Amino acid sequence: QKADVELPIERLECENDGGDGYFDEACGVYRLVARRGYAPGDQVLLCYGRHSNLELLEHYGFMLDENPHETAMLPLHLLLERVRQAGCVPAESIFL
C-alpha cells in the first residue's frame, strides 16, 4: 500500500543510535519503522540516527550546520605527535 507522506528535515533526539529506518537489501527499498500508530494526515518525523555530516550527505543528501556527531579524520602520525606533545599519556603506553 502506497502512502503520501512528507518528511521534514528536523534534528530529533533519538531513542536509539540506529535511527528509525534501514535499507532492506533483499527488497531494494528503504524501510521506516513506526514507533507508534499514525492516523491519516499525521506528521511523521524520521530520526536519522547519529551520523557525521559526511555520512548524512552521502546517505541522505544534506548536512547540519551544528552537528553534535561531527567527526574529523586525522592522520595517525599527527594524532600521536599531539598526544606526545601534551604529555598526558606516557609514550611507552601508546601501542599500535
Side-chain angles (χ1 to χ4, degrees), residues 20-88:
D20 292 331
Y22 64 96
F23 185 73
D24 183 338
E25 291 187 30
C27 297
V29 297
Y30 193 83
R31 298 194 182 274
L32 298 179
V33 179
R35 302 201 180 274
R36 66 174 180 84
Y38 290 92
D42 282 354
Q43 184 177 20
V44 178
L45 300 175
L46 171 66
C47 175
Y48 291 95
R50 296 180 179 190
H51 298 289
S52 68
N53 273 341
L54 178 60
E55 292 169 316
L56 289 173
L57 184 60
E58 286 178 335
H59 298 287
Y60 303 108
F62 71 93
M63 297 187 307
L64 300 173
D65 289 334
E66 294 183 29
N67 185 347
H69 309 295
E70 183 64 313
T71 59
M73 301 296 285
L74 297 175
L76 183 58
H77 72 278
L78 179 61
L79 180 60
L80 291 174
E81 179 183 320
R82 295 293 187 243
V83 168
R84 288 185 182 118
Q85 286 176 353
C88 56

